[in-house]
Amino acid sequence: MEVILARITQARQVVGIQQRYYCAGASNSSAWVQRCLTATTTSLERQNQFTCTFVQGSRNFSTKPELQRIPPNLKIHPKSTFAPVTRSELELEEDFDDFEEEEEVTAKDHGEIEADADAGEVEDYDDDEDYDDDDDEADEDLFIPLKKVTYAVPLPERLNAPIFSLNAPLHSNQVGTLWLDEAVFGRDPIRVDLLKRAVTYYRNQVRGVRKAKTKTISEVSGSGRKLRPQKGQGRARVGHSRPPHFRGGAKAHGPRNNTDYSKKKLNKKVRRQALSHALSQKLLEGNLILMNQLHDLSSIKTKELVEFLDVFEIGGKKGSTAFILDSYYPEDDTAMASDNGVPVNFRVASQNIPRIKVGHDLTASVYNILKHEKLVLTLAAVHQLEERLRDF
């Protein structure tokens, strides 16, 4: 009996409830323990963090945690993804409704205990001293938020991409949709091994010939004269002054400037397949933006372009990085001039915007696509990419 009372008291202290009941006689001890256990279980369920079980005859009273509760002395940085957040108002209202219903049950049990006290079964119970809910009202329930899972749009609905325009209003700049080629933008699953090989090939091409060169013993300046006698001075034997372990000496096994990284090859089919997988990855992430055309920008002012890119959270100090591709080669002399496949106005306006890179469709590489978070393509660039990558 004493073991059961001790464990009931310990369980009530865990959830912050400090009620104490005392047994006066042993005649009605079983009924009294059952009432105490019912009140304890109700309080534990109200805290929503423990499940209490009582096995008759085995004297086992256990607590099994269901929800991890954050200790009050734990300090977490507010910008961390594991930072606790407060419950919403709707959840608090639901908890308050459940609390009122459980308070009625608890009050009923409390009345029965008071009746037993009048009958002499319970000697003493002080409600003001041992149990006070007002102290717990200031405590705020905290929980660890779960990461929101965002699922990709399945194929083939994913290939129906919206088209945006620079001339359309900012609040509704969508002008239509386009069904993309599944052979170019619908690769599934994504071949990460091809992406890795393409990125390594691109970096090798940029790296080119290795320029590091160190001097050997025959190239280091210095005499071949023996520095000191071989024996008789008690010092280590030594020859000339140009060995690798001497200060100012040669470099052992250093670079010889004979490595040309640009000579490493990668098959054309593999490169094109990797490019199509990179385009499919951007569409899968939802970071592919289609534009009608870029020569609609009537001014070279950066302000107009910044207002349009802010809708997609691109550029600036806090925006996402973007890789913008176009294929603009006008045949009419009266049209806007082209600067290597990009309209002049757009090229000039985008030079002052950080975190974006502008180019034509032939500059599309796996490295640049994966390096930037968002990929912006015009309809002309999409047409050129599909024509080049459809058969691979």
Side-chain angles (χ1 to χ4, degrees):
M1 183 64 187
E2 295 178 356
V3 175
I4 296 177
L5 292 178
R7 294 188 177 181
I8 291 177
T9 306
Q10 181 180 3
R12 303 183 69 85
Q13 290 177 357
V14 169
V15 298
I17 304 176
Q18 299 179 351
Q19 292 182 346
R20 294 187 179 88
Y21 300 96
Y22 301 94
C23 181
S27 58
N28 297 328
S29 59
S30 300
W32 178 84
V33 169
Q34 188 66 28
R35 287 196 299 270
C36 292
L37 183 60
T38 303
T40 305
T41 306
T42 304
S43 302
L44 291 172
E45 291 177 353
R46 182 173 58 192
Q47 294 293 331
N48 193 18
Q49 65 174 356
F50 290 102
T51 301
C52 302
T53 57
F54 178 75
V55 181
Q56 186 69 24
S58 60
R59 297 184 179 182
N60 291 329
F61 187 87
S62 61
T63 56
K64 180 180 179 181
E66 291 184 350
L67 181 64
Q68 183 178 3
R69 190 173 180 86
I70 300 178
N73 59 345
L74 180 60
K75 302 298 181 182
I76 303 178
H77 195 276
K79 293 185 178 180
S80 174
T81 56
F82 298 98
V85 296
T86 58
R87 293 186 177 181
S88 61
E89 296 181 359
L90 181 61
E91 293 177 349
L92 292 177
E93 292 179 359
E94 294 177 356
D95 293 346
F96 182 75
D97 297 338
D98 297 339
F99 177 76
E100 289 182 347
E101 296 178 359
E102 293 168 356
E103 278 293 329
E104 296 178 358
V105 178
T106 306
K108 182 178 179 180
D109 297 339
H110 183 66
E112 295 178 357
I113 294 175
E114 288 182 350
D116 295 340
D118 296 338
E121 297 180 1
V122 179
E123 293 182 355
D124 188 11
Y125 172 69
D126 191 353
D127 191 11
D128 296 334
E129 180 180 358
D130 295 332
Y131 181 69
D132 189 4
D133 283 341
D134 296 338
D135 297 339
D136 298 336
E137 292 180 356
D139 296 339
E140 190 175 20
D141 291 336
L142 302 178
F143 65 95
I144 298 177
L146 299 177
K147 293 184 178 180
K148 184 179 179 180
V149 180
T150 303
Y151 297 95
V153 179
L155 293 172
E157 292 82 2
R158 187 193 311 165
L159 300 175
N160 189 14
I163 304 174
F164 303 93
S165 177
L166 288 172
N167 292 334
L170 295 179
H171 62 277
S172 60
N173 51 6
Q174 182 176 347
V175 295
T177 58
L178 174 67
W179 282 94
L180 300 173
D181 193 348
E182 186 176 1
V184 180
F185 294 91
R187 296 296 183 96
D188 190 27
I190 305 299
R191 291 283 301 275
V192 183
D193 57 329
L194 297 181
L195 299 180
K196 191 266 180 184
R197 293 174 62 185
V199 170
T200 304
Y201 170 78
Y202 179 87
R203 298 185 66 183
N204 289 333
Q205 296 298 318
V206 174
R207 188 176 185 180
V209 182
R210 186 175 186 178
K211 300 179 181 180
K213 175 66 172 67
T214 57
K215 293 183 179 181
T216 60
I217 290 181
S218 62
E219 297 171 345
V220 175
S221 62
S223 174
R225 179 181 64 88
K226 188 175 179 63
L227 295 182
R228 55 178 176 264
Q230 179 78 2
K231 303 175 70 67
Q233 295 184 358
R235 304 178 67 182
R237 54 194 175 187
V238 66
H240 54 78
S241 60
R242 296 170 295 169
H245 63 283
F246 267 40
R247 180 179 179 272
K251 176 65 176 177
H253 310 292
R256 301 287 305 225
N257 194 19
N258 55 3
T259 304
D260 188 2
Y261 292 94
S262 61
K263 291 183 178 181
K264 296 184 178 181
K265 302 299 181 180
L266 186 63
N267 293 338
K268 183 184 296 185
K269 290 185 178 180
V270 177
R271 298 201 304 266
R272 294 187 176 182
Q273 287 182 5
L275 182 57
S276 62
H277 280 276
L279 296 174
S280 302
Q281 176 65 25
K282 287 300 177 183
L283 181 62
L284 177 65
E285 297 172 354
N287 292 327
L288 179 63
I289 302 174
L290 298 185
M291 297 292 301
N292 184 16
Q293 53 191 7
L294 299 182
H295 59 270
D296 292 340
L297 192 64
S298 59
S299 175
I300 62 174
K301 296 293 184 181
T302 307
K303 181 179 180 181
E304 298 181 5
L305 183 58
V306 168
E307 292 178 355
F308 175 78
L309 295 179
D310 286 343
V311 179
F312 302 98
E313 299 180 355
I314 294 176
K317 296 182 179 180
K318 298 183 180 180
S320 303
T321 58
F323 187 35
I324 305 175
L325 298 178
D326 193 5
S327 181
Y328 177 70
Y329 299 98
E331 298 179 356
D332 190 1
D333 297 337
T334 60
M336 183 182 298
S338 174
D339 180 20
N340 197 11
V342 180
V344 176
N345 288 354
F346 193 89
R347 174 78 73 178
V348 176
S350 61
Q351 288 179 350
N352 296 332
I353 304 177
R355 302 173 68 83
I356 67 173
K357 183 177 182 179
V358 181
H360 54 88
D361 61 295
L362 294 179
T363 60
S365 63
V366 178
Y367 178 82
N368 288 323
I369 292 176
L370 298 181
K371 181 180 178 181
H372 298 83
E373 183 176 354
K374 296 184 181 296
L375 177 64
V376 182
L377 300 177
T378 61
L379 297 182
V382 171
H383 176 71
Q384 294 296 330
L385 290 173
E386 289 181 348
E387 288 293 331
R388 192 165 79 248
L389 304 175
R390 182 177 289 113
D391 299 333
F392 293 93

